[in-house]
Amino acid sequence: KGLYEFFFAENVRMLHIIITASEEIIRERIKNDNTRDKRCALENLEYNLSFLNQNYQDAIRINTDSMSIADTANEIAQHISNMRSQL
């Protein structure tokens, strides 16, 4: 049983955020990343994107195509703040 399933089963309030981008942008980011297995990441990209779309439809998705790291962090912080204010 994964962490997500455990929290869901225990009715723990959670915020599930998926940071994404267009497939083209993701491919470019993978190619420019020196810390990952590029071949594996590129070969499995379509499957991984499909898996996320099929299994995590309720997640908040943040498209980072034109966002800086700081912009992305700020948007995540805003979602967290919004969730806390609803408690």
Side-chain angles (χ1 to χ4, degrees), residues 62-81:
I62 298 175
N63 185 310
T64 62
D65 278 357
S66 59
M67 294 175 74
S68 68
I69 294 171
D71 291 338
T72 303
N74 288 334
E75 185 161 339
I76 292 168
Q78 186 61 51
H79 283 288
I80 293 168
S81 178

Side-chain angles (χ1 to χ4, degrees), residues 20-30 36 38-53:
T20 190
S22 67
E23 188 172 335
E24 179 182 329
I25 296 289
I26 293 172
R27 286 186 184 284
E28 279 302 309
R29 290 177 181 170
I30 291 169
R36 71 171 83 207
K38 295 177 187 184
R39 185 181 58 81
C40 180
L42 290 169
E43 286 176 0
N44 292 300
L45 181 59
E46 288 181 34
Y47 171 81
N48 291 335
L49 292 174
S50 177
F51 181 86
L52 288 173
N53 290 333

